[in-house]
Amino acid sequence: MIRKFLDRLDWHPAHGTLVAGVMVILGFVLSEINWGFLSLAALGTFGPGILREIGILNDQDEFQRRAARRAGYHAFLTAGLFTFLMVSYLRSGERNVGEPEVMVSLILAVLWFTWFLSSLLSYWGPQKTVTRVLNAFGTVWLIFNIAGNLNDLIAMIMQSLLAVPFFLLAYIAQKWPRIAGLLLVISSCFFIYMFDLYRVFGPNPLEKGRGMVIVLFIGPLLTSGIILLRNKMQEVEA
C-alpha cells in the first residue's frame, strides 16, 4: 500500500529509507508521551546512513548514494555555518537563550530541513519538490497545531490558519512557478515582520520559539521561493 502511494508520487526510496521514515515519525509522535522516544527519530535519521557507510546495508543504487551524500554535505555546510554564526552572535554580547536544549533543537532542525530538501531536489527537481514540500509542511503544521491545541478551540483555529499559505502557494507553484516564487519570498518577509521574528537578533533571540518558527514555517516558504526563482533564471539563461 505504501509502495503504491509512493509510486504515485514518483518517488522510489530504498527499503531502509522507508523503515527509517516510520521510525522518525514514531519518534516524534511518541515524544509527546516521553522525550526518550525521540531516540527513535535519531536512529531513523542517521542509522541507515551509518550502516551503509560501514557496508552492512546495501539497498541504494549509485544515483541514490550520490544524492544522499550530496544532501549530507549540504546539511553539513548549512548547519555548520548556522552553528558558528549563532555561537559568534551569542558570545558577542549579553544574550538570553533560555534552556540549552532549545538551541540544540534549533540546530537539529536546520540540519534535518536542509538534508530533507536537498534529498527531494535530487529526486524530483525544483518545481515538483517545491509543490510537494509546501503541501507536506502545510499538512504537518496543521496536524501539529490541532494536536497542540485540543483544549483551546480558538487557538487551534487561529494557529491552524498558518497552514493556508503552504497549500495556496503549492497550488500556484504548479501553475505559475515564477509568480509563486516571488510570492513566497514576499510572504516570508511579511510573516517575519508580522510575527516579530526579526527580534531574533535582539537580546532574547530564541524567546517565544522564534528560531523554530523561522526554520519550520518561514524556512520552507523562503527556500521554496528562492528555488523557483533560481530555476526560472537558469531556464532563461539556457
Side-chain angles (χ1 to χ4, degrees):
M1 181 177 178
I2 296 177
R3 274 295 180 186
K4 291 181 179 179
F5 174 73
L6 294 175
D7 288 340
R8 292 184 62 183
L9 293 177
D10 190 27
W11 188 26
H12 309 285
H15 292 291
T17 302
L18 288 177
V19 174
V22 173
M23 291 179 64
V24 170
I25 294 172
L26 284 175
F28 281 113
V29 172
L30 293 176
S31 66
E32 293 293 325
I33 301 174
N34 188 303
W35 278 105
F37 286 111
L38 193 62
S39 58
L40 287 175
L43 292 174
T45 300
F46 300 103
I50 294 172
L51 293 177
R52 288 172 186 134
E53 288 301 307
I54 62 180
I56 295 178
L57 187 62
N58 297 292
D59 62 343
Q60 290 184 328
D61 56 30
E62 186 61 31
F63 170 77
Q64 291 173 322
R65 284 194 293 270
R66 288 199 305 268
R69 287 169 180 170
R70 183 169 180 265
Y73 184 56
H74 288 170
F76 164 75
L77 291 176
T78 305
L81 176 62
F82 175 78
T83 303
F84 271 99
L85 291 177
M86 284 301 297
V87 171
S88 175
Y89 177 71
L90 294 173
R91 292 198 171 189
S92 63
E94 293 295 327
R95 323 286 187 193
N96 180 18
V97 297
E99 298 178 347
E101 56 264 31
V102 175
M103 175 61 69
V104 176
S105 298
L106 184 58
I107 294 171
L108 283 175
V110 172
L111 176 74
W112 184 86
F113 175 66
T114 305
W115 168 82
F116 178 72
L117 186 62
S118 180
S119 298
L120 295 185
L121 280 169
S122 298
Y123 281 103
W124 291 327
Q127 189 171 346
K128 189 178 289 187
T129 293
V130 167
T131 299
R132 292 177 176 178
V133 164
L134 289 173
N135 279 323
F137 272 86
T139 302
V140 171
W141 190 266
L142 184 63
I143 294 173
F144 173 79
N145 282 294
I146 291 175
N149 294 284
L150 293 175
N151 298 321
D152 190 339
L153 181 61
I154 300 300
M156 179 191 297
I157 294 173
M158 296 301 295
Q159 293 187 30
S160 294
L161 288 176
L162 292 174
V164 173
F166 290 103
F167 297 124
L168 179 60
L169 289 167
Y171 174 78
I172 297 174
Q174 290 180 322
K175 305 293 183 180
W176 308 285
R178 183 180 296 178
I179 294 175
L182 183 60
L183 287 175
L184 283 163
V185 173
I186 293 174
S187 299
S188 301
C189 296
F190 171 74
F191 286 123
I192 288 174
Y193 175 78
M194 178 180 177
F195 297 122
D196 294 333
L197 298 177
Y198 56 86
R199 296 184 185 275
V200 74
F201 297 105
N204 301 304
L206 304 183
E207 187 181 22
K208 299 181 179 179
R210 292 190 184 104
M212 279 297 184
V213 174
I214 290 175
V215 174
L216 299 181
F217 180 66
I218 302 300
L221 294 176
L222 182 59
T223 306
S224 296
I226 294 172
I227 288 172
L228 288 179
L229 291 175
R230 181 173 177 268
N231 184 52
K232 296 306 292 184
M233 289 174 62
Q234 288 176 338
E235 289 180 359
V236 172
E237 291 174 359

